[in-house]
Amino acid sequence: MDSAEYERKIASRFAAFDQDGNGYIDRQDFSGATAALLAEFSTTARCDKGQALYSGAEAFWQGMAGIADVDGDQRVTRPEFITGAVKRLRDNPQRFAEIARPFLHALIDIADEDGSGVTPSAAERVLKVLGVEPTLAARVAVGLDGDGDGRITEEEILSGFAAYFVTPEP
């Protein structure tokens, strides 16, 4: 992968977290994404599942800030993201997934609407809410179902998440 391609990939990963497009990632990006996901799946913020998603989002934010917010200003800039969330984690992509685990676990509880696992269509809805382009969201959602059984497990989601966000250097 050449430098330009690497920079493009990092920019898209950063943009996925910078939900409001203000040029940095902060707690509000996580809480805004949480509110949008709850609305998509008709789940109230005050119910147990809604509270778990907000708690998971806060844990995710704290984990990311702990790794990437070098100056301690409670914002992760693009350079901090590149240094912290990508370069520091390139040798251990599962570490990034573990930071996200509480959020993803709570999200799975919401997206698993019938109690038998997350379907690719529910995963596609999640991805679209998070700002992934619709045709890409559909392809990614199908690809997450590694064994092709029509249900996406937590481990499949964690692995896919880590592989997407932790991009190796060129």
Side-chain angles (χ1 to χ4, degrees):
M1 171 185 322
D2 67 18
S3 265
E5 176 70 7
Y6 176 73
E7 286 297 316
R8 186 190 63 73
K9 285 186 179 240
I10 295 308
S12 71
R13 273 99 173 131
F14 179 80
F17 280 111
D18 182 14
Q19 292 280 302
D20 58 15
N22 63 2
Y24 55 84
I25 303 165
D26 63 8
R27 179 178 277 112
Q28 287 70 35
D29 291 310
F30 285 82
S31 60
T34 298
L37 288 163
L38 291 174
E40 175 66 25
F41 288 94
S42 302
T43 305
T44 64
R46 292 185 182 226
C47 75
D48 289 344
K49 288 181 178 185
Q51 288 297 298
L53 190 60
Y54 272 108
S55 293
E58 178 62 20
F60 192 2
W61 160 245
Q62 290 296 327
M64 180 183 285
I67 288 171
D69 183 17
V70 177
D71 61 11
D73 67 354
Q74 292 297 296
R75 296 188 218 183
V76 175
T77 63
R78 187 169 181 259
E80 286 175 323
F81 182 79
I82 291 168
T83 300
V86 178
K87 289 182 180 176
R88 288 185 189 160
L89 297 172
R90 73 177 178 265
D91 295 328
N92 187 3
Q94 282 307 116
R95 173 71 179 122
F96 197 58
E98 290 306 315
I99 291 167
R101 186 183 287 274
F103 176 74
L104 294 173
H105 182 77
L107 181 54
I108 289 166
D109 282 346
I110 290 168
D112 179 2
E113 297 179 292
D114 66 3
S116 63
V118 177
T119 63
S121 72
E124 181 179 350
R125 289 171 58 198
V126 167
L127 292 167
K128 286 178 184 176
V129 167
L130 295 176
V132 175
E133 191 270 321
T135 57
L136 179 59
R139 281 197 322 258
V140 169
V142 169
L144 285 172
D145 183 12
D147 59 9
D149 68 354
R151 300 296 172 173
I152 305 167
T153 67
E154 185 168 333
E155 288 310 312
E156 287 171 326
I157 290 170
L158 284 168
S159 293
F161 185 84
Y164 180 76
F165 281 105
V166 182
T167 303
E169 289 186 79

